[in-house]
Amino acid sequence: MAAATEAFSRRLSDAVRGLSGAWYGRHMAAADRAIRSRLPLVDLVLEVRDARVPAASAFAPLRRRSPEPDRRRLVVLNKADLADPSQTEKWMAYMKQTSCSCVALNSHSREGIKELLNAVRAKIREIKLGESDCTGTVLLVGIPNVGKSAIVNAMHRIGRIGAAEKGKLKHAIVSSHPGETKDISGYKVASHPNIYVLDTPGVLSPVFFNDESGPLLALTGAIKDSMMQEFEIAQFLLAILNSRETYKKWENMNQAGDMPSFSHAMSSSSHHNKRQYASDHTQDFVVKAVRQVLFDSISSFKGYLENENELKSLIECQFIALQEAFRVSADLSEDVRKLVAMKLLNLYRTGRLGRYTLDCAPDVRKEIVS
Ligand SMILES: Nc1nc2c(ncn2[C@@H]2O[C@H](COP(=O)(O)OP(=O)(O)OP(=O)(O)O)[C@@H](O)[C@H]2O)c(=O)[nH]1
C-alpha cells in the first residue's frame, strides 16, 4: 500500500479497533462458541473468504498453528467476480503450495457452485474412505457478509437431486448487510452420498490479523457501516482508487455529451448551480458519471499522490464533484457527505467501479499464515 494511502488506512484502523467492543457483542460471542464446539464434530469445514481480501477475511478460529495440511478444510474464495482475476490465480497457487484445498467462485454462478459441490463430494469421499456410513456433514464458516448464506442456498438448490424432495427447498437469509444470519441451520446439498451443510452466523474476531485488516474489512462490508463513519471508509476507498490504474479504462466516457465533467462539477458546486440532464437518472448513467469524475480528477491531478496532504485535497475535490455525479444536494453538510460516501461504497461493493484485490497474493515461495 502506498504511504499516503496507508495514512488513511491507519486512521480507519484506529476507528475500527475502537469499535471492536460494539460488533463483538454477546450474540457474536455465543455464535463463536457454538461454531468452535462444532468444528471437531463435522467431517468437513468449508471456510468462506472474500476473494478481494483473502488474508484479512480468514476465519480466526481456523488460523493455522501447524504446518501440517488440514485435510478437513476447504477454502472458498467467494465474490471472485469482484476481485482481480490475476490476483485470484496467485492466491489459488499460494493455497495449493500450502496444501490447502481451495475453490474460487462467484456464488451467483451455477458453474461455480457445481464446481464447489464436486469439490465437497470428492473431499467427503476421501475423508470417509472405507467407512460404511457415507453421510457427510459440512460446517460453513466465515466472517460476516462473505456470502455464506448465498452459497448454501445455491448448493441446496443445485445439489439436491431427489425428486421426492422437490418443493422442500429452504432459504437462508441473504442480505447486503453483515450479521443477518443469527442461527445455525442445516441444508441438504447432495444425495449419494447424502451431504448436509450447516450455515452459521458470521463471526469477526475482536482482534485483527494485522493493522490493515480492519480497514479492508470495513471497506468490503464485513463490519456494519452504521457503526462506522462512512465518510472515512469512502476516503480510504478513494485513496486506493487514486493509486490504481483502473481509472485509465474510463477515458472517453463523456462522448455522449451529457456527463458532468470534473471541472464543471467543481465550478457548479461552488456556485450552487443546479444542472438539468437530458437523460433519466438511471443507475448506468450515475455509474458513468462517477467513473468520469474519477477519470477527470485523477488524470488532471498535478500534485504528488504520495504526499498525504495533496492526496487529501484531491479526495476533497472528488467528494464535491461526486455530489453532482450522484445528483445530491450541492450543500457541504455532514449528511450530504455521508450520502455520497454510502453511494460510492455501494458502487464499489457491487463491482461497478472495477475489480480490485486489496490483499496482495503472497509470494508463493514464502510461507505466511494461510
Ligand atoms: N458480487 C457478489 N456478491 C455476492 C456473492 N456472494 C454473495 N454476494 C452478496 O454478498 C452479500 C452477503 O451475502 P450473504 O450470503 O448474506 O453473506 P453471509 O456470509 O451469509 O452474511 P452474514 O449473515 O453476515 O454471516 C449479499 O448482498 C449477496 O448477494 C458473489 O459471489 N458475488
Side-chain angles (χ1 to χ4, degrees), residues 225-287:
D225 286 337
S226 54
M227 291 187 179
M228 313 274 312
Q229 291 278 356
E230 285 94 344
F231 179 61
E232 275 187 19
I233 309 176
Q235 275 187 318
F236 177 49
L237 169 62
L238 283 172
I240 291 174
L241 296 182
N242 289 335
S243 65
R244 304 269 174 129
E245 303 274 295
T246 314
Y247 76 92
K248 290 185 180 161
K249 288 192 272 181
W250 301 332
E251 197 175 4
N252 299 328
M253 297 198 68
N254 203 10
Q255 280 168 349
D258 57 356
M259 297 291 156
S261 70
F262 179 62
S263 53
H264 179 84
M266 289 293 291
S267 62
S268 66
S269 64
S270 56
H271 293 106
H272 293 251
N273 287 338
K274 282 235 163 90
R275 247 188 109 184
Q276 295 300 314
Y277 293 91
S279 28
D280 287 343
H281 291 189
T282 62
Q283 199 56 23
D284 264 4
F285 186 84
V286 171
V287 173

Side-chain angles (χ1 to χ4, degrees), residues 78-82 105-108 142-151 173-181 199-203 349-350:
N78 191 37
K79 306 197 183 185
D81 55 311
L82 304 179
L105 56 87
N106 158 13
S107 70
H108 301 147
I143 64 164
N145 214 31
V146 283
K148 299 179 293 301
S149 300
I151 288 175
I173 299 171
V174 173
S175 158
S176 55
H177 302 291
E180 288 295 320
T181 308
D199 183 25
T200 64
V203 170
R349 288 172 184 163
T350 48

Side-chain angles (χ1 to χ4, degrees), residues 161-217:
I161 41 180
E165 291 169 275
K166 275 195 183 137
K168 288 193 209 156
L169 281 177
K170 300 203 290 180
H171 290 284
I173 299 171
V174 173
S175 158
S176 55
H177 302 291
E180 288 295 320
T181 308
K182 308 279 186 221
D183 303 304
I184 298 180
S185 328
Y187 298 81
K188 184 171 179 181
V189 303
S191 313
H192 316 297
N194 289 329
I195 300 177
Y196 296 88
V197 177
L198 296 170
D199 183 25
T200 64
V203 170
L204 195 55
S205 162
V207 182
F208 291 116
F209 175 43
N210 59 26
D211 287 345
E212 284 179 13
S213 298
L216 295 181
L217 295 178

Side-chain angles (χ1 to χ4, degrees), residues 51 75-80 88-89 92 102-106 112 115:
V75 172
V76 180
L77 297 181
N78 191 37
K79 306 197 183 185
T88 303
E89 250 176 55
M92 298 281 287
C102 180
V103 174
L105 56 87
N106 158 13
E115 191 191 334

Side-chain angles (χ1 to χ4, degrees), residues 8 45 224 319 339 355:
F8 287 91
V45 177
K224 275 198 176 94
F319 248 91
L339 189 62
R355 301 170 69 163

